[in-house]
Amino acid sequence: MAGSDAPEALADVIDADTGEGELERTIGLVGGLAIGVGTMIGAGIFVFPGLAAENAGPAAALSFAIGAVVALLVALPASELATAMPRSGGGYFFISRGLGTAPGAVVGIGLWLGLVFASAFYLVGLGSYAGQVFLEAGIALPVDPAIPLGVAFGVGLTVLSLFGTENTASLQNAIVISLLVILTLFLSYGSLDALGVFGAERVPERFFPPGGLLSVLQTAALVFTSYLGFAQVATVAGDITDPSRNLPLAMVGSVLLVGVFYVVTIFVATSAFGSARLGEFGEIAMVEVARSFVGFPGALAIVVAGLLATFSSANASILSASRAVYAVSRDGIIPEAASRLNLRYGTPHVALGLAGGPIVVLAATGQVELLAEVASFLHLVMYGLICVGLIQLRRESPSWYDPSFRCPAGLAVAGVGALASFALIAFMRPASIGVGVAVMIAAYGWYRYYATDVELKGDF
Amino acid sequence: MTETPTDDREPTETGADSEAGGESEGRPSVLVPIEVLEGESLPSGTSALLANAHVVLCGYHVIPEQTAAEQAREQFGETAMSKLDEFAGALAAGGADVETRLVFTHDKDTTIDRLIYEHDCLAVLVPNSTERVESVLVALRGTVGVGRNTRLVAGLFADADVDVTLYHALNEGESPEDGESFLSGVRSDLVERGVDPEALETVVEDADVPIDTIADRAASHDAVVMGETDPSVTTFVFGMPSEQVADRFLGPVLVVQRARPEE
């Protein structure tokens, strides 16, 4: 990694004491990877396989691979920007400083709401797995418990983040590591089984769905929510140790890691069942896949893993949403009151409320696919602009821009990354695009109303 | 970093000390961690205890992970800094030479560790209060790193009219004579460094559980000086011996740090 020994010039300046104390960076490489992987893996493995297979058949593996490539094309430029500006706020920070206040405001408010949509989506997934616990225990419920449970978890997590002052970083690391162990075992077994090692070789389905490449791309747009987590690493950039080395490694590494897991998962799932059958299972398709391999213990392991994974995704996204609120409020794009902390718990109660409240409302709608696509839409706009920002900064090359990691073939990667990000949006359903555009227009309107006098370009 | 003005007194260290590090103008560096916004104030007796030290006063504020460190600094930085300056003033008035650091952190241990390293501190104070500083218990484990203990004790208490009790619990396979000769070596080192021989006392004991005996003996003293211990399963389960002693003794404990490897 180029320049990993270079002095953390900007990071040092920000952390240093300016009469009000210095800042300690406490998240290392493992912590950064855990944030990225922990946020992403809940969706791609535990929520999407059934839905994706229904839409694209075994070629859903290709959809996930496309998502990974797009994410990588953005993760590399984002890494460069993050090492140049290792501050809280991630993509919002890069865009507001690189491109100016107006795009910054749209992205900042979009990032907050994008994470709100993503959290709501994870919560519905979490609710599905929690509901599955009742089914496995043989308790019949009169209604589908997924949505009420998701809402309950949403309220619970918000309250927990308001008052819980225990640092759960090491717990998060442990959860992610146990998830990876369970999944590695499960997917190794599943792959061997799919290849016919344990008995009759299964007859593979036709790879491409009836809809052809279009279905694959539409599915890629749908499941892109599974790749939103790498940007969450950038939202805590201000807390990452040795940012010039750890930020790029954590962002790129987590995308590669989950990408491989997703592709193998689809391969295993579509080998075990036909795509139509997987679609019927819906969010909890992986539970049935595990059951078909090793019966009840397998199903139970996946239910537990699914609970952990969707829980950690939802939790990480709520916290990131509150960080996004802080970042825009610090800059005066929304009233400063939004970033107040309470002295007793040290938590940003207003920002957490602004995240948790809408999340609970959206989770109550239970519109899994819409929530996922709107979340992806808002993130993809930010990703595209991150790439544009990189091109702009490389061209202008302002004196403060001194990244310690330089994206190889930066302009080309960023150019393709921007095009790919915006192109993926085109394959979403009209309803999702409509909601996404409405959010962006509202964000821009707010900027015109409230924050036209804020100048952020190149401001540190 | 704020340098708090101190009085013009010459450093009290008398014995020439050629060993580098851990000292500023001959004064032993002691890290005093204070959780500055949690209503924690400077425990009484601290300025008397550290009158001859170079104090690195580390105000820290632990923030939950929901909160960005920057966010906390923005809101609490000024209040915390003014409180810290107040404590620094009290220490300086007692005679110490004070440097302050204020850190917003998600992890207290990382911060304290880093500061010990950056300032090359000889010891860390577990800040508990004491009414007076007239007698100090110095628990010594063995010859390894004992020089750091003697530098600290001589630096802090040589001219301070404080009784120093050197205590050694016998290690396995060690005879009482070995223990005596170890302590008498330490004793003469201290005398050479300017500690009044009259103020020194030595105790060698065969203790089943040294932690218990140290904590019991500490009750009749005003402060304890002891070394840090390598982390192990036992320290993970029961906590560091110095923490255990501090919890039971309830008075100030100076934990002497091992020499840090050069970077």
Side-chain angles (χ1 to χ4, degrees), chain A residues 111-166:
Chain A
L111 176 61
W112 158 42
L113 290 169
L115 287 163
V116 161
F117 275 91
S119 308
F121 158 75
Y122 297 133
L123 283 171
V124 178
L126 176 57
S128 304
Y129 276 86
Q132 190 64 20
V133 172
F134 289 100
L135 280 180
E136 298 293 337
I139 300 167
L141 294 173
V143 289
D144 181 6
I147 293 167
L149 283 171
V151 169
F153 273 112
V155 174
L157 276 174
T158 308
V159 171
L160 195 71
S161 56
L162 280 171
F163 302 112
T165 50
E166 288 301 311

Short mmCIF file of all heavy atoms in Angstrom, two decimals, chain A residues 111-166:
data_model
loop_
_atom_site.label_atom_id
_atom_site.label_comp_id
_atom_site.label_asym_id
_atom_site.label_seq_id
_atom_site.Cartn_x
_atom_site.Cartn_y
_atom_site.Cartn_z
N LEU A 111 -27.59 10.89 2.51
CA LEU A 111 -26.89 9.82 3.23
C LEU A 111 -27.64 9.48 4.51
O LEU A 111 -27.86 8.31 4.84
CB LEU A 111 -25.46 10.26 3.56
CG LEU A 111 -24.61 9.30 4.40
CD1 LEU A 111 -24.43 7.98 3.68
CD2 LEU A 111 -23.26 9.91 4.73
N TRP A 112 -28.06 10.51 5.22
CA TRP A 112 -28.85 10.29 6.44
C TRP A 112 -30.09 9.44 6.09
O TRP A 112 -30.33 8.38 6.69
CB TRP A 112 -29.23 11.65 7.04
CG TRP A 112 -30.42 11.64 7.96
CD1 TRP A 112 -30.72 10.70 8.92
CD2 TRP A 112 -31.48 12.60 7.99
NE1 TRP A 112 -31.89 11.04 9.54
CE2 TRP A 112 -32.37 12.18 9.00
CE3 TRP A 112 -31.75 13.76 7.28
CZ2 TRP A 112 -33.55 12.91 9.30
CZ3 TRP A 112 -32.89 14.48 7.59
CH2 TRP A 112 -33.78 14.06 8.58
N LEU A 113 -30.87 9.89 5.07
CA LEU A 113 -32.09 9.16 4.75
C LEU A 113 -31.79 7.82 4.09
O LEU A 113 -32.52 6.84 4.32
CB LEU A 113 -33.00 10.02 3.87
CG LEU A 113 -33.58 11.21 4.66
CD1 LEU A 113 -34.26 12.21 3.74
CD2 LEU A 113 -34.56 10.72 5.72
N GLY A 114 -30.70 7.76 3.34
CA GLY A 114 -30.32 6.48 2.73
C GLY A 114 -30.05 5.44 3.82
O GLY A 114 -30.47 4.29 3.72
N LEU A 115 -29.37 5.87 4.87
CA LEU A 115 -29.09 4.95 5.97
C LEU A 115 -30.36 4.63 6.74
O LEU A 115 -30.52 3.54 7.27
CB LEU A 115 -28.03 5.56 6.89
CG LEU A 115 -26.62 5.54 6.29
CD1 LEU A 115 -25.69 6.49 7.02
CD2 LEU A 115 -26.06 4.12 6.33
N VAL A 116 -31.28 5.60 6.79
CA VAL A 116 -32.57 5.35 7.44
C VAL A 116 -33.32 4.25 6.67
O VAL A 116 -33.82 3.29 7.27
CB VAL A 116 -33.40 6.65 7.51
CG1 VAL A 116 -34.86 6.37 7.73
CG2 VAL A 116 -32.85 7.56 8.60
N PHE A 117 -33.34 4.36 5.34
CA PHE A 117 -34.00 3.33 4.54
C PHE A 117 -33.28 1.99 4.71
O PHE A 117 -33.93 0.94 4.84
CB PHE A 117 -34.03 3.74 3.05
CG PHE A 117 -35.19 4.62 2.69
CD1 PHE A 117 -35.09 6.01 2.76
CD2 PHE A 117 -36.40 4.06 2.30
CE1 PHE A 117 -36.16 6.82 2.44
CE2 PHE A 117 -37.48 4.87 1.96
CZ PHE A 117 -37.37 6.27 2.03
N ALA A 118 -31.95 2.02 4.69
CA ALA A 118 -31.20 0.78 4.83
C ALA A 118 -31.48 0.12 6.18
O ALA A 118 -31.72 -1.09 6.27
CB ALA A 118 -29.70 1.05 4.67
N SER A 119 -31.50 0.94 7.25
CA SER A 119 -31.76 0.37 8.58
C SER A 119 -33.14 -0.26 8.63
O SER A 119 -33.32 -1.34 9.21
CB SER A 119 -31.68 1.44 9.66
OG SER A 119 -30.49 2.14 9.57
N ALA A 120 -34.12 0.43 8.03
CA ALA A 120 -35.48 -0.11 8.05
C ALA A 120 -35.51 -1.45 7.32
O ALA A 120 -36.15 -2.41 7.78
CB ALA A 120 -36.44 0.89 7.39
N PHE A 121 -34.79 -1.52 6.22
CA PHE A 121 -34.71 -2.76 5.46
C PHE A 121 -34.09 -3.87 6.31
O PHE A 121 -34.60 -4.99 6.39
CB PHE A 121 -33.90 -2.49 4.19
CG PHE A 121 -33.30 -3.71 3.56
CD1 PHE A 121 -34.09 -4.61 2.86
CD2 PHE A 121 -31.94 -3.95 3.67
CE1 PHE A 121 -33.53 -5.73 2.28
CE2 PHE A 121 -31.38 -5.07 3.09
CZ PHE A 121 -32.17 -5.96 2.40
N TYR A 122 -32.97 -3.58 6.99
CA TYR A 122 -32.34 -4.59 7.83
C TYR A 122 -33.28 -5.02 8.95
O TYR A 122 -33.31 -6.18 9.34
CB TYR A 122 -31.05 -4.06 8.46
CG TYR A 122 -29.95 -3.70 7.49
CD1 TYR A 122 -29.28 -2.51 7.60
CD2 TYR A 122 -29.60 -4.57 6.46
CE1 TYR A 122 -28.25 -2.17 6.71
CE2 TYR A 122 -28.60 -4.25 5.57
CZ TYR A 122 -27.93 -3.05 5.69
OH TYR A 122 -26.93 -2.72 4.82
N LEU A 123 -34.04 -4.05 9.47
CA LEU A 123 -34.94 -4.39 10.58
C LEU A 123 -36.02 -5.35 10.14
O LEU A 123 -36.41 -6.25 10.90
CB LEU A 123 -35.57 -3.11 11.16
CG LEU A 123 -34.66 -2.29 12.05
CD1 LEU A 123 -35.31 -0.96 12.38
CD2 LEU A 123 -34.32 -3.04 13.33
N VAL A 124 -36.55 -5.18 8.91
CA VAL A 124 -37.56 -6.12 8.44
C VAL A 124 -36.92 -7.50 8.31
O VAL A 124 -37.53 -8.52 8.67
CB VAL A 124 -38.17 -5.66 7.10
CG1 VAL A 124 -39.16 -6.68 6.60
CG2 VAL A 124 -38.84 -4.31 7.27
N GLY A 125 -35.66 -7.54 7.83
CA GLY A 125 -34.95 -8.81 7.77
C GLY A 125 -34.77 -9.42 9.15
O GLY A 125 -35.01 -10.61 9.36
N LEU A 126 -34.39 -8.58 10.09
CA LEU A 126 -34.21 -9.05 11.47
C LEU A 126 -35.53 -9.60 12.01
O LEU A 126 -35.57 -10.65 12.64
CB LEU A 126 -33.72 -7.88 12.33
CG LEU A 126 -33.54 -8.10 13.83
CD1 LEU A 126 -32.61 -9.25 14.12
CD2 LEU A 126 -33.01 -6.83 14.49
N GLY A 127 -36.63 -8.88 11.71
CA GLY A 127 -37.95 -9.34 12.15
C GLY A 127 -38.28 -10.70 11.56
O GLY A 127 -38.84 -11.56 12.25
N SER A 128 -37.91 -10.91 10.28
CA SER A 128 -38.21 -12.20 9.65
C SER A 128 -37.49 -13.34 10.37
O SER A 128 -38.06 -14.41 10.60
CB SER A 128 -37.76 -12.21 8.19
OG SER A 128 -38.35 -11.15 7.50
N TYR A 129 -36.23 -13.08 10.72
CA TYR A 129 -35.47 -14.12 11.42
C TYR A 129 -36.00 -14.34 12.83
O TYR A 129 -36.07 -15.46 13.32
CB TYR A 129 -33.97 -13.80 11.41
CG TYR A 129 -33.34 -14.27 10.13
CD1 TYR A 129 -33.35 -13.46 9.00
CD2 TYR A 129 -32.81 -15.55 10.03
CE1 TYR A 129 -32.83 -13.91 7.79
CE2 TYR A 129 -32.27 -16.01 8.83
CZ TYR A 129 -32.28 -15.18 7.71
OH TYR A 129 -31.78 -15.63 6.53
N ALA A 130 -36.37 -13.24 13.50
CA ALA A 130 -36.93 -13.39 14.84
C ALA A 130 -38.24 -14.17 14.77
O ALA A 130 -38.52 -15.02 15.62
CB ALA A 130 -37.14 -12.02 15.47
N GLY A 131 -39.04 -13.90 13.71
CA GLY A 131 -40.29 -14.64 13.54
C GLY A 131 -40.02 -16.12 13.30
O GLY A 131 -40.76 -16.99 13.78
N GLN A 132 -38.94 -16.40 12.59
CA GLN A 132 -38.58 -17.78 12.29
C GLN A 132 -38.27 -18.56 13.57
O GLN A 132 -38.50 -19.76 13.64
CB GLN A 132 -37.37 -17.80 11.35
CG GLN A 132 -37.02 -19.16 10.78
CD GLN A 132 -38.12 -19.71 9.87
OE1 GLN A 132 -38.95 -18.95 9.37
NE2 GLN A 132 -38.13 -21.02 9.69
N VAL A 133 -37.77 -17.83 14.59
CA VAL A 133 -37.50 -18.48 15.86
C VAL A 133 -38.78 -19.10 16.41
O VAL A 133 -38.79 -20.24 16.89
CB VAL A 133 -36.91 -17.47 16.88
CG1 VAL A 133 -36.81 -18.09 18.27
CG2 VAL A 133 -35.55 -16.97 16.41
N PHE A 134 -39.90 -18.36 16.31
CA PHE A 134 -41.17 -18.89 16.80
C PHE A 134 -41.57 -20.12 16.01
O PHE A 134 -42.04 -21.11 16.56
CB PHE A 134 -42.27 -17.82 16.70
CG PHE A 134 -42.12 -16.71 17.68
CD1 PHE A 134 -41.56 -15.50 17.30
CD2 PHE A 134 -42.52 -16.87 19.00
CE1 PHE A 134 -41.40 -14.48 18.20
CE2 PHE A 134 -42.37 -15.86 19.91
CZ PHE A 134 -41.79 -14.64 19.51
N LEU A 135 -41.39 -20.05 14.68
CA LEU A 135 -41.76 -21.18 13.83
C LEU A 135 -40.94 -22.42 14.20
O LEU A 135 -41.48 -23.52 14.34
CB LEU A 135 -41.53 -20.84 12.36
CG LEU A 135 -42.61 -20.00 11.70
CD1 LEU A 135 -42.24 -19.75 10.24
CD2 LEU A 135 -43.97 -20.69 11.80
N GLU A 136 -39.62 -22.22 14.36
CA GLU A 136 -38.76 -23.35 14.69
C GLU A 136 -39.14 -23.95 16.03
O GLU A 136 -39.01 -25.13 16.26
CB GLU A 136 -37.28 -22.93 14.72
CG GLU A 136 -36.72 -22.41 13.39
CD GLU A 136 -36.62 -23.47 12.31
OE1 GLU A 136 -36.56 -24.66 12.66
OE2 GLU A 136 -36.63 -23.12 11.11
N ALA A 137 -39.60 -23.08 16.94
CA ALA A 137 -39.99 -23.55 18.27
C ALA A 137 -41.38 -24.17 18.24
O ALA A 137 -41.86 -24.67 19.25
CB ALA A 137 -39.94 -22.40 19.26
N GLY A 138 -42.03 -24.15 17.09
CA GLY A 138 -43.34 -24.76 16.96
C GLY A 138 -44.47 -23.92 17.53
O GLY A 138 -45.55 -24.43 17.82
N ILE A 139 -44.23 -22.62 17.71
CA ILE A 139 -45.29 -21.75 18.22
C ILE A 139 -45.97 -21.09 17.03
O ILE A 139 -45.35 -20.38 16.25
CB ILE A 139 -44.71 -20.66 19.14
CG1 ILE A 139 -43.99 -21.31 20.32
CG2 ILE A 139 -45.81 -19.72 19.62
CD1 ILE A 139 -43.13 -20.36 21.13
N ALA A 140 -47.25 -21.37 16.88
CA ALA A 140 -47.98 -20.79 15.74
C ALA A 140 -48.48 -19.40 16.12
O ALA A 140 -49.04 -19.20 17.19
CB ALA A 140 -49.15 -21.69 15.38
N LEU A 141 -48.21 -18.44 15.25
CA LEU A 141 -48.68 -17.09 15.50
C LEU A 141 -49.79 -16.77 14.50
O LEU A 141 -49.73 -17.20 13.35
CB LEU A 141 -47.54 -16.09 15.35
CG LEU A 141 -46.41 -16.23 16.38
CD1 LEU A 141 -45.26 -15.31 16.03
CD2 LEU A 141 -46.93 -15.92 17.77
N PRO A 142 -50.79 -16.03 14.92
CA PRO A 142 -51.91 -15.72 14.03
C PRO A 142 -51.52 -14.80 12.87
O PRO A 142 -52.10 -14.89 11.80
CB PRO A 142 -52.93 -15.04 14.94
CG PRO A 142 -52.12 -14.55 16.12
CD PRO A 142 -50.98 -15.47 16.27
N VAL A 143 -50.55 -13.91 13.08
CA VAL A 143 -50.14 -13.02 12.00
C VAL A 143 -48.65 -13.21 11.73
O VAL A 143 -47.92 -13.74 12.56
CB VAL A 143 -50.38 -11.53 12.35
CG1 VAL A 143 -51.86 -11.22 12.36
CG2 VAL A 143 -49.73 -11.18 13.68
N ASP A 144 -48.20 -12.74 10.55
CA ASP A 144 -46.78 -12.78 10.25
C ASP A 144 -46.07 -11.81 11.18
O ASP A 144 -46.34 -10.61 11.16
CB ASP A 144 -46.56 -12.38 8.79
CG ASP A 144 -45.08 -12.43 8.42
OD1 ASP A 144 -44.28 -12.88 9.26
OD2 ASP A 144 -44.74 -12.02 7.31
N PRO A 145 -45.18 -12.32 12.02
CA PRO A 145 -44.60 -11.44 13.05
C PRO A 145 -43.43 -10.58 12.56
O PRO A 145 -42.91 -9.77 13.33
CB PRO A 145 -44.09 -12.44 14.10
CG PRO A 145 -43.75 -13.66 13.30
CD PRO A 145 -44.68 -13.69 12.11
N ALA A 146 -43.03 -10.74 11.29
CA ALA A 146 -41.81 -10.07 10.84
C ALA A 146 -41.84 -8.57 11.06
O ALA A 146 -40.91 -7.98 11.62
CB ALA A 146 -41.55 -10.39 9.37
N ILE A 147 -42.93 -7.92 10.61
CA ILE A 147 -42.96 -6.46 10.67
C ILE A 147 -43.08 -5.94 12.11
O ILE A 147 -42.30 -5.09 12.53
CB ILE A 147 -44.05 -5.92 9.74
CG1 ILE A 147 -43.63 -6.23 8.29
CG2 ILE A 147 -44.25 -4.43 9.93
CD1 ILE A 147 -44.71 -6.05 7.27
N PRO A 148 -44.06 -6.48 12.90
CA PRO A 148 -44.10 -6.01 14.29
C PRO A 148 -42.78 -6.23 15.03
O PRO A 148 -42.32 -5.34 15.77
CB PRO A 148 -45.20 -6.85 14.94
CG PRO A 148 -45.96 -7.47 13.84
CD PRO A 148 -45.16 -7.40 12.59
N LEU A 149 -42.13 -7.38 14.79
CA LEU A 149 -40.86 -7.62 15.48
C LEU A 149 -39.79 -6.66 14.99
O LEU A 149 -38.99 -6.15 15.79
CB LEU A 149 -40.40 -9.07 15.26
CG LEU A 149 -41.13 -10.12 16.08
CD1 LEU A 149 -40.75 -11.53 15.62
CD2 LEU A 149 -40.80 -9.97 17.57
N GLY A 150 -39.77 -6.40 13.68
CA GLY A 150 -38.79 -5.46 13.14
C GLY A 150 -38.95 -4.09 13.77
O GLY A 150 -37.98 -3.44 14.16
N VAL A 151 -40.21 -3.64 13.89
CA VAL A 151 -40.49 -2.34 14.50
C VAL A 151 -40.02 -2.34 15.96
O VAL A 151 -39.37 -1.40 16.42
CB VAL A 151 -41.99 -2.00 14.40
CG1 VAL A 151 -42.33 -0.79 15.26
CG2 VAL A 151 -42.36 -1.76 12.94
N ALA A 152 -40.32 -3.44 16.66
CA ALA A 152 -39.93 -3.52 18.06
C ALA A 152 -38.41 -3.44 18.20
O ALA A 152 -37.88 -2.74 19.06
CB ALA A 152 -40.46 -4.81 18.69
N PHE A 153 -37.71 -4.17 17.32
CA PHE A 153 -36.25 -4.11 17.37
C PHE A 153 -35.74 -2.69 17.06
O PHE A 153 -34.77 -2.23 17.65
CB PHE A 153 -35.63 -5.09 16.36
CG PHE A 153 -35.45 -6.48 16.92
CD1 PHE A 153 -36.19 -7.53 16.43
CD2 PHE A 153 -34.53 -6.71 17.92
CE1 PHE A 153 -36.02 -8.82 16.94
CE2 PHE A 153 -34.35 -7.99 18.44
CZ PHE A 153 -35.11 -9.05 17.94
N GLY A 154 -36.43 -2.02 16.12
CA GLY A 154 -36.03 -0.65 15.78
C GLY A 154 -36.11 0.26 16.99
O GLY A 154 -35.19 1.04 17.28
N VAL A 155 -37.24 0.16 17.72
CA VAL A 155 -37.39 0.98 18.93
C VAL A 155 -36.32 0.59 19.95
O VAL A 155 -35.64 1.44 20.53
CB VAL A 155 -38.80 0.79 19.53
CG1 VAL A 155 -38.92 1.50 20.86
CG2 VAL A 155 -39.86 1.28 18.55
N GLY A 156 -36.13 -0.72 20.12
CA GLY A 156 -35.16 -1.20 21.10
C GLY A 156 -33.74 -0.72 20.80
O GLY A 156 -33.04 -0.24 21.69
N LEU A 157 -33.35 -0.83 19.53
CA LEU A 157 -31.98 -0.43 19.17
C LEU A 157 -31.78 1.07 19.36
O LEU A 157 -30.70 1.50 19.79
CB LEU A 157 -31.69 -0.80 17.72
CG LEU A 157 -31.24 -2.23 17.47
CD1 LEU A 157 -31.14 -2.50 15.98
CD2 LEU A 157 -29.88 -2.44 18.12
N THR A 158 -32.81 1.85 19.03
CA THR A 158 -32.67 3.30 19.19
C THR A 158 -32.50 3.64 20.67
O THR A 158 -31.62 4.42 21.05
CB THR A 158 -33.90 4.03 18.63
OG1 THR A 158 -34.13 3.57 17.29
CG2 THR A 158 -33.70 5.52 18.62
N VAL A 159 -33.33 3.02 21.51
CA VAL A 159 -33.22 3.28 22.95
C VAL A 159 -31.85 2.84 23.46
O VAL A 159 -31.19 3.55 24.22
CB VAL A 159 -34.36 2.56 23.70
CG1 VAL A 159 -34.15 2.64 25.20
CG2 VAL A 159 -35.70 3.17 23.32
N LEU A 160 -31.42 1.67 23.00
CA LEU A 160 -30.13 1.15 23.42
C LEU A 160 -29.00 2.11 23.05
O LEU A 160 -28.08 2.35 23.84
CB LEU A 160 -29.89 -0.20 22.73
CG LEU A 160 -28.77 -1.07 23.28
CD1 LEU A 160 -29.17 -1.62 24.64
CD2 LEU A 160 -28.49 -2.22 22.32
N SER A 161 -29.09 2.68 21.83
CA SER A 161 -27.99 3.56 21.43
C SER A 161 -28.07 4.91 22.14
O SER A 161 -27.08 5.61 22.23
CB SER A 161 -27.98 3.74 19.91
OG SER A 161 -29.23 4.21 19.48
N LEU A 162 -29.26 5.25 22.66
CA LEU A 162 -29.37 6.50 23.42
C LEU A 162 -28.76 6.37 24.80
O LEU A 162 -28.12 7.28 25.31
CB LEU A 162 -30.84 6.89 23.57
CG LEU A 162 -31.49 7.58 22.38
CD1 LEU A 162 -32.98 7.71 22.61
CD2 LEU A 162 -30.87 8.95 22.18
N PHE A 163 -28.98 5.21 25.42
CA PHE A 163 -28.60 5.10 26.82
C PHE A 163 -27.46 4.12 27.07
O PHE A 163 -26.90 4.09 28.15
CB PHE A 163 -29.80 4.69 27.67
CG PHE A 163 -30.93 5.66 27.55
CD1 PHE A 163 -32.11 5.30 26.93
CD2 PHE A 163 -30.80 6.95 28.02
CE1 PHE A 163 -33.16 6.20 26.80
CE2 PHE A 163 -31.83 7.86 27.89
CZ PHE A 163 -33.01 7.48 27.27
N GLY A 164 -27.17 3.29 26.08
CA GLY A 164 -26.13 2.29 26.30
C GLY A 164 -24.77 2.92 26.13
O GLY A 164 -24.41 3.33 25.04
N THR A 165 -24.03 3.03 27.21
CA THR A 165 -22.73 3.66 27.08
C THR A 165 -21.61 2.62 27.15
O THR A 165 -20.45 2.97 27.13
CB THR A 165 -22.51 4.72 28.17
OG1 THR A 165 -22.82 4.12 29.41
CG2 THR A 165 -23.40 5.90 27.94
N GLU A 166 -21.97 1.36 27.22
CA GLU A 166 -20.94 0.33 27.16
C GLU A 166 -20.38 0.33 25.75
O GLU A 166 -21.13 0.40 24.77
CB GLU A 166 -21.55 -1.05 27.43
CG GLU A 166 -21.96 -1.27 28.88
CD GLU A 166 -20.79 -1.13 29.83
OE1 GLU A 166 -19.75 -1.74 29.55
OE2 GLU A 166 -20.90 -0.39 30.81
#
